[in-house]
Amino acid sequence: LYPNGNEPYEASSLSLYVAAVKDDNKGENEISDDWSCCAQFILTISNPNDLSIKFEKFTQHRFNATEADWGFGSFVSLKSLIATDDRG
């Protein structure tokens, strides 16, 4: 989660990603080169002060050692997320 985007040109947007991480309990230093996982998921975020303001995006990705994260650099504009009566 990057509340002000993860790139300068995304500063007016919220960025949201899912990342695959190694299991520290197994004593491994990193994800093995031959590991992969196909996933379909929905990322959702809402305004905690008004739960009717909610944004969702569906995506799919094959996570592996070289592409261990996936998501949206510009998931939603901050203006839309914090909108009140006028919804943006």
Side-chain angles (χ1 to χ4, degrees), residues 14 19 21 57:
L14 177 133
V21 296
K57 290 192 179 183

Side-chain angles (χ1 to χ4, degrees), residues 2-59:
Y2 296 86
N4 294 306
N6 65 330
E7 297 290 338
Y9 60 88
E10 297 166 340
S12 62
S13 296
L14 177 133
S15 299
L16 190 58
Y17 298 91
V18 171
V21 296
K22 68 178 184 67
D23 183 350
D24 286 333
N25 295 325
K26 292 186 176 183
E28 299 170 355
N29 292 329
E30 56 189 47
I31 296 172
S32 66
D33 289 340
D34 63 347
W35 177 86
S36 68
C37 175
C38 291
Q40 295 181 358
F41 48 95
I42 298 172
L43 297 174
T44 305
I45 193 158
S46 62
N47 181 322
N49 297 317
D50 183 350
L51 296 179
S52 70
I53 301 175
K54 178 174 78 170
F55 299 89
E56 295 182 330
K57 290 192 179 183
F58 170 84
T59 191

Side-chain angles (χ1 to χ4, degrees), residues 53 55 77-88:
I53 301 175
F55 299 89
S77 75
L78 296 177
K79 183 178 178 182
S80 296
L81 185 60
I82 61 174
T84 54
D85 295 336
D86 64 356
R87 299 292 164 124

